[in-house]
Amino acid sequence: MADQTLDAKGLQCPLPVLRARKALKTVPPGSTLTVEATDPSAPKDFAAFCEATGNRLAASVEEGGVYRFVIERCA
C-alpha cells in the first residue's frame, strides 16, 4: 500500500479538505493519504468529508496542536 502525506498546516477551512480531495485523486484505492492540519475545525471537516466521499477515516489524532488524519481511499 502506497502511503502519501499532505501538509496542510497553517491552512484554514476549507483549504485542508480541498487539498486532500485533490491529493486523493492520485492515491490508488486501498491506499492511504495522511493529512496534517492545524485548523481547529479540521476533525469535524474531515469526518464529514470522508462520509460524503465514501472514503474511510482510518485515524484521527491530535498532538501538540497538530491534527493527523489517515484517510483510506475506498471510492
Short mmCIF file of all heavy atoms in Angstrom, two decimals:
data_model
loop_
_atom_site.label_atom_id
_atom_site.label_comp_id
_atom_site.label_asym_id
_atom_site.label_seq_id
_atom_site.Cartn_x
_atom_site.Cartn_y
_atom_site.Cartn_z
N MET A 1 0.83 -1.18 0.00
CA MET A 1 0.00 0.00 0.00
C MET A 1 0.88 1.25 0.00
O MET A 1 1.69 1.43 0.88
CB MET A 1 -0.89 0.03 1.24
CG MET A 1 -2.21 -0.63 1.03
SD MET A 1 -3.56 -0.17 2.11
CE MET A 1 -2.95 -0.22 3.74
N ALA A 2 0.70 2.08 -0.99
CA ALA A 2 1.43 3.33 -1.04
C ALA A 2 0.78 4.33 -0.10
O ALA A 2 -0.43 4.47 -0.06
CB ALA A 2 1.42 3.88 -2.47
N ASP A 3 1.60 5.01 0.69
CA ASP A 3 1.09 5.98 1.63
C ASP A 3 1.62 7.35 1.23
O ASP A 3 2.81 7.51 1.03
CB ASP A 3 1.54 5.64 3.05
CG ASP A 3 0.92 6.55 4.10
OD1 ASP A 3 -0.23 6.97 3.92
OD2 ASP A 3 1.60 6.83 5.10
N GLN A 4 0.72 8.31 1.07
CA GLN A 4 1.12 9.67 0.74
C GLN A 4 0.80 10.58 1.90
O GLN A 4 -0.08 10.30 2.71
CB GLN A 4 0.39 10.14 -0.52
CG GLN A 4 0.78 9.37 -1.76
CD GLN A 4 0.15 9.97 -3.00
OE1 GLN A 4 -0.18 11.14 -3.06
NE2 GLN A 4 -0.02 9.14 -4.01
N THR A 5 1.53 11.70 1.98
CA THR A 5 1.34 12.65 3.06
C THR A 5 1.07 14.03 2.48
O THR A 5 1.68 14.42 1.49
CB THR A 5 2.59 12.71 3.96
OG1 THR A 5 2.85 11.41 4.48
CG2 THR A 5 2.40 13.66 5.12
N LEU A 6 0.15 14.75 3.11
CA LEU A 6 -0.20 16.11 2.72
C LEU A 6 -0.03 17.01 3.92
O LEU A 6 -0.62 16.77 4.97
CB LEU A 6 -1.65 16.17 2.22
CG LEU A 6 -2.22 17.56 1.94
CD1 LEU A 6 -1.48 18.21 0.78
CD2 LEU A 6 -3.70 17.47 1.65
N ASP A 7 0.78 18.05 3.77
CA ASP A 7 0.99 19.03 4.84
C ASP A 7 0.03 20.19 4.61
O ASP A 7 0.22 20.98 3.69
CB ASP A 7 2.43 19.52 4.83
CG ASP A 7 2.72 20.50 5.96
OD1 ASP A 7 1.80 20.88 6.70
OD2 ASP A 7 3.90 20.90 6.09
N ALA A 8 -1.01 20.28 5.44
CA ALA A 8 -1.99 21.35 5.34
C ALA A 8 -1.94 22.25 6.58
O ALA A 8 -2.89 22.96 6.87
CB ALA A 8 -3.38 20.77 5.15
N LYS A 9 -0.80 22.21 7.29
CA LYS A 9 -0.66 23.03 8.49
C LYS A 9 -0.66 24.51 8.10
O LYS A 9 -0.08 24.89 7.10
CB LYS A 9 0.62 22.67 9.24
CG LYS A 9 0.61 21.25 9.80
CD LYS A 9 1.80 20.95 10.69
CE LYS A 9 3.10 20.88 10.00
NZ LYS A 9 3.37 19.67 9.25
N GLY A 10 -1.35 25.31 8.90
CA GLY A 10 -1.43 26.74 8.66
C GLY A 10 -2.57 27.15 7.73
O GLY A 10 -2.84 28.33 7.59
N LEU A 11 -3.22 26.19 7.10
CA LEU A 11 -4.34 26.49 6.21
C LEU A 11 -5.64 26.47 6.99
O LEU A 11 -5.81 25.66 7.90
CB LEU A 11 -4.39 25.48 5.06
CG LEU A 11 -3.16 25.40 4.16
CD1 LEU A 11 -3.34 24.30 3.14
CD2 LEU A 11 -2.90 26.74 3.48
N GLN A 12 -6.56 27.32 6.61
CA GLN A 12 -7.87 27.39 7.25
C GLN A 12 -8.93 26.78 6.35
O GLN A 12 -8.76 26.70 5.13
CB GLN A 12 -8.23 28.84 7.57
CG GLN A 12 -7.28 29.52 8.55
CD GLN A 12 -7.25 28.84 9.90
OE1 GLN A 12 -8.29 28.60 10.50
NE2 GLN A 12 -6.07 28.49 10.38
N CYS A 13 -10.03 26.37 6.97
CA CYS A 13 -11.17 25.80 6.26
C CYS A 13 -11.60 26.73 5.13
O CYS A 13 -11.65 27.94 5.34
CB CYS A 13 -12.31 25.61 7.25
SG CYS A 13 -13.80 24.89 6.55
N PRO A 14 -11.84 26.21 3.97
CA PRO A 14 -11.96 24.81 3.54
C PRO A 14 -10.69 24.26 2.87
O PRO A 14 -10.73 23.18 2.30
CB PRO A 14 -13.10 24.86 2.54
CG PRO A 14 -12.87 26.16 1.82
CD PRO A 14 -12.38 27.11 2.91
N LEU A 15 -9.58 25.00 2.91
CA LEU A 15 -8.40 24.59 2.15
C LEU A 15 -7.85 23.20 2.50
O LEU A 15 -7.48 22.46 1.58
CB LEU A 15 -7.30 25.64 2.25
CG LEU A 15 -7.60 26.94 1.50
CD1 LEU A 15 -6.49 27.96 1.73
CD2 LEU A 15 -7.77 26.67 0.02
N PRO A 16 -7.74 22.79 3.78
CA PRO A 16 -7.21 21.44 4.03
C PRO A 16 -8.03 20.34 3.34
O PRO A 16 -7.46 19.42 2.74
CB PRO A 16 -7.28 21.31 5.56
CG PRO A 16 -7.16 22.72 6.04
CD PRO A 16 -7.93 23.54 5.04
N VAL A 17 -9.35 20.46 3.39
CA VAL A 17 -10.21 19.44 2.76
C VAL A 17 -10.10 19.51 1.24
O VAL A 17 -10.02 18.48 0.57
CB VAL A 17 -11.67 19.60 3.23
CG1 VAL A 17 -12.61 18.75 2.41
CG2 VAL A 17 -11.79 19.21 4.70
N LEU A 18 -10.06 20.71 0.70
CA LEU A 18 -9.93 20.85 -0.76
C LEU A 18 -8.62 20.27 -1.27
O LEU A 18 -8.58 19.58 -2.29
CB LEU A 18 -10.06 22.32 -1.18
CG LEU A 18 -11.43 22.95 -0.96
CD1 LEU A 18 -11.39 24.43 -1.32
CD2 LEU A 18 -12.49 22.23 -1.78
N ARG A 19 -7.54 20.51 -0.54
CA ARG A 19 -6.24 19.96 -0.95
C ARG A 19 -6.22 18.44 -0.78
O ARG A 19 -5.62 17.73 -1.59
CB ARG A 19 -5.12 20.61 -0.14
CG ARG A 19 -5.06 22.10 -0.41
CD ARG A 19 -3.70 22.57 -0.81
NE ARG A 19 -3.74 23.97 -1.18
CZ ARG A 19 -2.95 24.89 -0.70
NH1 ARG A 19 -2.01 24.57 0.18
NH2 ARG A 19 -3.03 26.14 -1.10
N ALA A 20 -6.88 17.93 0.26
CA ALA A 20 -6.97 16.48 0.45
C ALA A 20 -7.77 15.85 -0.68
O ALA A 20 -7.39 14.79 -1.20
CB ALA A 20 -7.59 16.15 1.80
N ARG A 21 -8.86 16.48 -1.09
CA ARG A 21 -9.68 15.95 -2.19
C ARG A 21 -8.83 15.82 -3.46
O ARG A 21 -8.86 14.80 -4.13
CB ARG A 21 -10.87 16.86 -2.45
CG ARG A 21 -11.76 16.39 -3.59
CD ARG A 21 -12.87 17.36 -3.92
NE ARG A 21 -13.74 17.64 -2.80
CZ ARG A 21 -14.83 16.94 -2.51
NH1 ARG A 21 -15.18 15.91 -3.25
NH2 ARG A 21 -15.58 17.26 -1.48
N LYS A 22 -8.04 16.84 -3.74
CA LYS A 22 -7.17 16.83 -4.92
C LYS A 22 -6.09 15.75 -4.80
O LYS A 22 -5.84 15.01 -5.74
CB LYS A 22 -6.54 18.20 -5.11
CG LYS A 22 -5.70 18.31 -6.35
CD LYS A 22 -5.16 19.73 -6.53
CE LYS A 22 -4.30 19.82 -7.77
NZ LYS A 22 -3.78 21.18 -7.97
N ALA A 23 -5.47 15.64 -3.62
CA ALA A 23 -4.41 14.66 -3.41
C ALA A 23 -4.93 13.23 -3.49
O ALA A 23 -4.24 12.33 -3.98
CB ALA A 23 -3.72 14.89 -2.07
N LEU A 24 -6.16 13.00 -3.03
CA LEU A 24 -6.73 11.64 -3.04
C LEU A 24 -6.91 11.12 -4.46
O LEU A 24 -6.93 9.91 -4.67
CB LEU A 24 -8.07 11.60 -2.30
CG LEU A 24 -7.98 11.35 -0.80
CD1 LEU A 24 -9.34 11.53 -0.16
CD2 LEU A 24 -7.44 9.97 -0.51
N LYS A 25 -7.02 12.00 -5.43
CA LYS A 25 -7.18 11.57 -6.82
C LYS A 25 -5.96 10.81 -7.31
O LYS A 25 -6.06 10.01 -8.24
CB LYS A 25 -7.47 12.76 -7.72
CG LYS A 25 -8.82 13.39 -7.47
CD LYS A 25 -9.06 14.59 -8.36
CE LYS A 25 -10.41 15.20 -8.04
NZ LYS A 25 -10.66 16.41 -8.83
N THR A 26 -4.81 11.02 -6.68
CA THR A 26 -3.58 10.34 -7.09
C THR A 26 -3.28 9.10 -6.25
O THR A 26 -2.31 8.41 -6.50
CB THR A 26 -2.37 11.30 -7.01
OG1 THR A 26 -2.13 11.63 -5.64
CG2 THR A 26 -2.62 12.57 -7.81
N VAL A 27 -4.13 8.84 -5.25
CA VAL A 27 -3.94 7.70 -4.35
C VAL A 27 -4.77 6.53 -4.87
O VAL A 27 -5.97 6.66 -5.09
CB VAL A 27 -4.38 8.07 -2.92
CG1 VAL A 27 -4.32 6.86 -2.00
CG2 VAL A 27 -3.53 9.20 -2.38
N PRO A 28 -4.14 5.38 -5.09
CA PRO A 28 -4.90 4.21 -5.56
C PRO A 28 -5.89 3.72 -4.49
O PRO A 28 -5.62 3.85 -3.30
CB PRO A 28 -3.83 3.14 -5.81
CG PRO A 28 -2.52 3.82 -5.70
CD PRO A 28 -2.72 5.09 -4.95
N PRO A 29 -7.04 3.17 -4.91
CA PRO A 29 -7.98 2.61 -3.94
C PRO A 29 -7.28 1.59 -3.04
O PRO A 29 -6.46 0.80 -3.49
CB PRO A 29 -9.04 1.95 -4.82
CG PRO A 29 -9.00 2.73 -6.09
CD PRO A 29 -7.54 3.08 -6.28
N GLY A 30 -7.59 1.66 -1.74
CA GLY A 30 -6.97 0.77 -0.76
C GLY A 30 -5.73 1.36 -0.12
O GLY A 30 -5.26 0.87 0.89
N SER A 31 -5.20 2.43 -0.70
CA SER A 31 -4.03 3.11 -0.14
C SER A 31 -4.49 4.27 0.72
O SER A 31 -5.67 4.59 0.78
CB SER A 31 -3.10 3.60 -1.25
OG SER A 31 -2.56 2.51 -1.95
N THR A 32 -3.53 4.90 1.41
CA THR A 32 -3.90 5.95 2.36
C THR A 32 -3.25 7.28 2.04
O THR A 32 -2.19 7.34 1.41
CB THR A 32 -3.52 5.55 3.80
OG1 THR A 32 -2.11 5.36 3.87
CG2 THR A 32 -4.25 4.31 4.24
N LEU A 33 -3.90 8.31 2.52
CA LEU A 33 -3.37 9.68 2.50
C LEU A 33 -3.37 10.16 3.94
O LEU A 33 -4.39 10.11 4.62
CB LEU A 33 -4.26 10.59 1.65
CG LEU A 33 -3.90 12.08 1.68
CD1 LEU A 33 -2.55 12.32 0.98
CD2 LEU A 33 -4.99 12.92 1.03
N THR A 34 -2.20 10.59 4.42
CA THR A 34 -2.09 11.15 5.76
C THR A 34 -2.06 12.66 5.62
O THR A 34 -1.25 13.20 4.87
CB THR A 34 -0.80 10.65 6.45
OG1 THR A 34 -0.86 9.23 6.55
CG2 THR A 34 -0.67 11.25 7.85
N VAL A 35 -2.96 13.32 6.32
CA VAL A 35 -3.06 14.78 6.26
C VAL A 35 -2.73 15.34 7.64
O VAL A 35 -3.26 14.87 8.65
CB VAL A 35 -4.48 15.23 5.86
CG1 VAL A 35 -4.55 16.74 5.76
CG2 VAL A 35 -4.91 14.59 4.55
N GLU A 36 -1.85 16.35 7.67
CA GLU A 36 -1.56 17.06 8.90
C GLU A 36 -2.11 18.47 8.76
O GLU A 36 -1.85 19.15 7.77
CB GLU A 36 -0.06 17.10 9.17
CG GLU A 36 0.51 15.74 9.47
CD GLU A 36 1.97 15.79 9.86
OE1 GLU A 36 2.64 16.80 9.55
OE2 GLU A 36 2.44 14.83 10.47
N ALA A 37 -2.91 18.90 9.75
CA ALA A 37 -3.55 20.21 9.71
C ALA A 37 -3.56 20.83 11.10
O ALA A 37 -3.45 20.12 12.11
CB ALA A 37 -4.98 20.07 9.19
N THR A 38 -3.68 22.15 11.15
CA THR A 38 -3.73 22.87 12.43
C THR A 38 -5.06 23.58 12.63
O THR A 38 -5.29 24.14 13.70
CB THR A 38 -2.59 23.90 12.52
OG1 THR A 38 -2.61 24.72 11.35
CG2 THR A 38 -1.24 23.21 12.63
N ASP A 39 -5.93 23.57 11.66
CA ASP A 39 -7.24 24.22 11.76
C ASP A 39 -8.09 23.51 12.80
O ASP A 39 -8.32 22.30 12.69
CB ASP A 39 -7.92 24.20 10.39
CG ASP A 39 -9.26 24.92 10.36
OD1 ASP A 39 -9.71 25.41 11.42
OD2 ASP A 39 -9.85 25.00 9.28
N PRO A 40 -8.58 24.22 13.83
CA PRO A 40 -9.37 23.57 14.88
C PRO A 40 -10.65 22.89 14.37
O PRO A 40 -11.16 21.98 15.02
CB PRO A 40 -9.73 24.71 15.84
CG PRO A 40 -8.76 25.80 15.54
CD PRO A 40 -8.35 25.64 14.11
N SER A 41 -11.16 23.30 13.23
CA SER A 41 -12.37 22.66 12.70
C SER A 41 -12.06 21.43 11.85
O SER A 41 -12.98 20.75 11.38
CB SER A 41 -13.20 23.67 11.89
OG SER A 41 -12.50 24.06 10.73
N ALA A 42 -10.79 21.12 11.66
CA ALA A 42 -10.39 20.01 10.80
C ALA A 42 -10.98 18.65 11.21
O ALA A 42 -11.41 17.90 10.33
CB ALA A 42 -8.87 19.92 10.69
N PRO A 43 -11.03 18.29 12.50
CA PRO A 43 -11.59 16.97 12.83
C PRO A 43 -13.02 16.79 12.33
O PRO A 43 -13.35 15.76 11.73
CB PRO A 43 -11.52 16.92 14.36
CG PRO A 43 -10.38 17.83 14.70
CD PRO A 43 -10.46 18.94 13.68
N LYS A 44 -13.86 17.79 12.53
CA LYS A 44 -15.25 17.69 12.07
C LYS A 44 -15.30 17.75 10.55
O LYS A 44 -16.07 17.03 9.92
CB LYS A 44 -16.04 18.79 12.76
CG LYS A 44 -17.04 19.54 11.99
CD LYS A 44 -17.75 20.57 12.82
CE LYS A 44 -17.21 21.97 12.62
NZ LYS A 44 -17.38 22.51 11.29
N ASP A 45 -14.46 18.58 9.94
CA ASP A 45 -14.45 18.71 8.48
C ASP A 45 -14.03 17.41 7.80
O ASP A 45 -14.65 17.00 6.82
CB ASP A 45 -13.51 19.83 8.04
CG ASP A 45 -13.99 21.21 8.45
OD1 ASP A 45 -15.18 21.35 8.81
OD2 ASP A 45 -13.17 22.15 8.43
N PHE A 46 -12.99 16.77 8.31
CA PHE A 46 -12.51 15.54 7.67
C PHE A 46 -13.46 14.36 7.90
O PHE A 46 -13.60 13.51 7.04
CB PHE A 46 -11.07 15.21 8.09
CG PHE A 46 -10.07 15.95 7.27
CD1 PHE A 46 -9.52 17.14 7.72
CD2 PHE A 46 -9.70 15.51 6.01
CE1 PHE A 46 -8.62 17.85 6.95
CE2 PHE A 46 -8.80 16.21 5.23
CZ PHE A 46 -8.26 17.39 5.70
N ALA A 47 -14.11 14.33 9.05
CA ALA A 47 -15.12 13.28 9.29
C ALA A 47 -16.26 13.42 8.28
O ALA A 47 -16.69 12.44 7.66
CB ALA A 47 -15.63 13.35 10.71
N ALA A 48 -16.73 14.65 8.09
CA ALA A 48 -17.81 14.89 7.13
C ALA A 48 -17.36 14.63 5.70
O ALA A 48 -18.10 14.06 4.89
CB ALA A 48 -18.32 16.33 7.27
N PHE A 49 -16.13 15.02 5.39
CA PHE A 49 -15.57 14.80 4.05
C PHE A 49 -15.53 13.30 3.72
O PHE A 49 -15.96 12.88 2.64
CB PHE A 49 -14.17 15.41 3.96
CG PHE A 49 -13.39 14.99 2.76
CD1 PHE A 49 -13.72 15.48 1.50
CD2 PHE A 49 -12.32 14.13 2.86
CE1 PHE A 49 -13.00 15.09 0.37
CE2 PHE A 49 -11.59 13.75 1.75
CZ PHE A 49 -11.93 14.23 0.50
N CYS A 50 -15.03 12.50 4.65
CA CYS A 50 -14.92 11.05 4.40
C CYS A 50 -16.30 10.42 4.26
O CYS A 50 -16.51 9.57 3.39
CB CYS A 50 -14.12 10.38 5.50
SG CYS A 50 -12.36 10.77 5.40
N GLU A 51 -17.24 10.85 5.08
CA GLU A 51 -18.60 10.31 4.99
C GLU A 51 -19.23 10.67 3.65
O GLU A 51 -19.87 9.83 3.01
CB GLU A 51 -19.46 10.84 6.14
CG GLU A 51 -20.82 10.22 6.19
CD GLU A 51 -21.62 10.66 7.40
OE1 GLU A 51 -21.02 10.91 8.46
OE2 GLU A 51 -22.85 10.76 7.27
N ALA A 52 -19.01 11.88 3.20
CA ALA A 52 -19.62 12.35 1.95
C ALA A 52 -18.99 11.72 0.71
O ALA A 52 -19.66 11.53 -0.30
CB ALA A 52 -19.53 13.87 1.86
N THR A 53 -17.70 11.40 0.78
CA THR A 53 -16.99 10.88 -0.40
C THR A 53 -16.89 9.36 -0.43
O THR A 53 -16.42 8.80 -1.42
CB THR A 53 -15.57 11.47 -0.49
OG1 THR A 53 -14.83 11.12 0.69
CG2 THR A 53 -15.61 12.97 -0.65
N GLY A 54 -17.26 8.68 0.66
CA GLY A 54 -17.19 7.23 0.69
C GLY A 54 -15.82 6.69 1.02
O GLY A 54 -15.56 5.50 0.87
N ASN A 55 -14.92 7.55 1.49
CA ASN A 55 -13.60 7.10 1.94
C ASN A 55 -13.66 6.84 3.44
O ASN A 55 -14.59 7.26 4.12
CB ASN A 55 -12.54 8.16 1.60
CG ASN A 55 -12.39 8.31 0.10
OD1 ASN A 55 -12.08 7.36 -0.60
ND2 ASN A 55 -12.65 9.51 -0.40
N ARG A 56 -12.65 6.13 3.95
CA ARG A 56 -12.66 5.74 5.37
C ARG A 56 -11.64 6.56 6.15
O ARG A 56 -10.48 6.63 5.76
CB ARG A 56 -12.33 4.26 5.50
CG ARG A 56 -12.44 3.73 6.92
CD ARG A 56 -12.28 2.23 6.97
NE ARG A 56 -10.90 1.80 6.88
CZ ARG A 56 -10.08 1.68 7.93
NH1 ARG A 56 -10.51 1.95 9.14
NH2 ARG A 56 -8.84 1.28 7.77
N LEU A 57 -12.10 7.18 7.23
CA LEU A 57 -11.20 7.89 8.12
C LEU A 57 -10.61 6.85 9.07
O LEU A 57 -11.23 6.44 10.04
CB LEU A 57 -11.94 8.98 8.88
CG LEU A 57 -11.10 9.91 9.75
CD1 LEU A 57 -10.03 10.62 8.93
CD2 LEU A 57 -11.99 10.92 10.45
N ALA A 58 -9.41 6.37 8.75
CA ALA A 58 -8.79 5.27 9.49
C ALA A 58 -8.23 5.73 10.83
O ALA A 58 -8.14 4.94 11.77
CB ALA A 58 -7.69 4.63 8.65
N ALA A 59 -7.82 7.00 10.93
CA ALA A 59 -7.26 7.52 12.18
C ALA A 59 -7.44 9.03 12.22
O ALA A 59 -7.40 9.69 11.19
CB ALA A 59 -5.79 7.17 12.30
N SER A 60 -7.66 9.53 13.43
CA SER A 60 -7.77 10.96 13.66
C SER A 60 -7.20 11.23 15.04
O SER A 60 -7.79 10.83 16.04
CB SER A 60 -9.24 11.40 13.59
OG SER A 60 -9.37 12.77 13.90
N VAL A 61 -6.03 11.87 15.08
CA VAL A 61 -5.37 12.15 16.37
C VAL A 61 -4.89 13.60 16.40
O VAL A 61 -4.64 14.21 15.37
CB VAL A 61 -4.18 11.20 16.63
CG1 VAL A 61 -4.64 9.76 16.76
CG2 VAL A 61 -3.14 11.32 15.54
N GLU A 62 -4.77 14.13 17.62
CA GLU A 62 -4.25 15.47 17.82
C GLU A 62 -3.06 15.39 18.75
O GLU A 62 -3.09 14.69 19.76
CB GLU A 62 -5.33 16.37 18.44
CG GLU A 62 -4.92 17.83 18.57
CD GLU A 62 -4.24 18.15 19.89
OE1 GLU A 62 -4.48 17.42 20.86
OE2 GLU A 62 -3.45 19.11 19.93
N GLU A 63 -1.99 16.08 18.37
CA GLU A 63 -0.78 16.09 19.20
C GLU A 63 -0.11 17.44 19.07
O GLU A 63 0.31 17.83 17.97
CB GLU A 63 0.17 14.98 18.74
CG GLU A 63 1.40 14.83 19.60
CD GLU A 63 2.28 13.68 19.16
OE1 GLU A 63 1.75 12.55 19.02
OE2 GLU A 63 3.47 13.91 18.94
N GLY A 64 -0.07 18.17 20.15
CA GLY A 64 0.60 19.47 20.16
C GLY A 64 -0.02 20.49 19.21
O GLY A 64 0.70 21.29 18.62
N GLY A 65 -1.32 20.45 19.04
CA GLY A 65 -1.99 21.39 18.17
C GLY A 65 -2.00 21.01 16.70
O GLY A 65 -2.51 21.74 15.86
N VAL A 66 -1.42 19.84 16.39
CA VAL A 66 -1.43 19.35 15.01
C VAL A 66 -2.35 18.14 14.93
O VAL A 66 -2.20 17.19 15.71
CB VAL A 66 0.00 18.96 14.54
CG1 VAL A 66 -0.04 18.37 13.14
CG2 VAL A 66 0.93 20.17 14.58
N TYR A 67 -3.29 18.21 14.02
CA TYR A 67 -4.22 17.11 13.80
C TYR A 67 -3.68 16.24 12.67
O TYR A 67 -3.23 16.75 11.66
CB TYR A 67 -5.61 17.64 13.41
CG TYR A 67 -6.20 18.53 14.46
CD1 TYR A 67 -6.04 19.91 14.39
CD2 TYR A 67 -6.92 18.00 15.53
CE1 TYR A 67 -6.59 20.74 15.36
CE2 TYR A 67 -7.47 18.82 16.50
CZ TYR A 67 -7.29 20.19 16.41
OH TYR A 67 -7.82 21.00 17.36
N ARG A 68 -3.73 14.93 12.87
CA ARG A 68 -3.26 13.99 11.84
C ARG A 68 -4.41 13.06 11.48
O ARG A 68 -4.99 12.42 12.36
CB ARG A 68 -2.06 13.20 12.34
CG ARG A 68 -1.51 12.25 11.30
CD ARG A 68 -0.21 11.59 11.74
NE ARG A 68 0.85 12.58 11.83
CZ ARG A 68 1.46 12.93 12.97
NH1 ARG A 68 1.12 12.38 14.10
NH2 ARG A 68 2.42 13.83 12.96
N PHE A 69 -4.71 13.02 10.20
CA PHE A 69 -5.81 12.19 9.70
C PHE A 69 -5.24 11.19 8.70
O PHE A 69 -4.45 11.57 7.82
CB PHE A 69 -6.87 13.05 9.00
CG PHE A 69 -7.34 14.19 9.83
CD1 PHE A 69 -6.81 15.46 9.65
CD2 PHE A 69 -8.29 13.99 10.82
CE1 PHE A 69 -7.22 16.52 10.44
CE2 PHE A 69 -8.70 15.04 11.61
CZ PHE A 69 -8.17 16.31 11.42
N VAL A 70 -5.63 9.95 8.85
CA VAL A 70 -5.26 8.92 7.87
C VAL A 70 -6.55 8.54 7.15
O VAL A 70 -7.49 8.03 7.76
CB VAL A 70 -4.61 7.69 8.53
CG1 VAL A 70 -4.27 6.64 7.49
CG2 VAL A 70 -3.36 8.11 9.31
N ILE A 71 -6.56 8.82 5.84
CA ILE A 71 -7.74 8.56 5.03
C ILE A 71 -7.43 7.42 4.07
O ILE A 71 -6.46 7.49 3.31
CB ILE A 71 -8.13 9.82 4.22
CG1 ILE A 71 -8.38 10.99 5.16
CG2 ILE A 71 -9.35 9.54 3.36
CD1 ILE A 71 -8.49 12.33 4.45
N GLU A 72 -8.23 6.36 4.16
CA GLU A 72 -8.09 5.25 3.23
C GLU A 72 -9.03 5.49 2.04
O GLU A 72 -10.22 5.69 2.23
CB GLU A 72 -8.44 3.92 3.90
CG GLU A 72 -8.29 2.75 2.95
CD GLU A 72 -8.70 1.43 3.57
OE1 GLU A 72 -8.94 1.39 4.80
OE2 GLU A 72 -8.79 0.45 2.83
N ARG A 73 -8.46 5.49 0.87
CA ARG A 73 -9.28 5.72 -0.31
C ARG A 73 -10.06 4.46 -0.63
O ARG A 73 -9.50 3.40 -0.92
CB ARG A 73 -8.43 6.12 -1.51
CG ARG A 73 -9.32 6.37 -2.71
CD ARG A 73 -8.61 7.04 -3.83
NE ARG A 73 -9.57 7.18 -4.93
CZ ARG A 73 -9.23 7.19 -6.18
NH1 ARG A 73 -7.97 7.11 -6.52
NH2 ARG A 73 -10.14 7.33 -7.11
N CYS A 74 -11.37 4.56 -0.57
CA CYS A 74 -12.25 3.43 -0.86
C CYS A 74 -12.97 3.63 -2.18
O CYS A 74 -13.29 2.68 -2.86
CB CYS A 74 -13.28 3.26 0.26
SG CYS A 74 -12.54 2.90 1.86
N ALA A 75 -13.26 4.89 -2.51
CA ALA A 75 -14.05 5.19 -3.71
C ALA A 75 -13.16 5.63 -4.86
O ALA A 75 -12.09 6.10 -4.69
CB ALA A 75 -15.07 6.29 -3.38
#
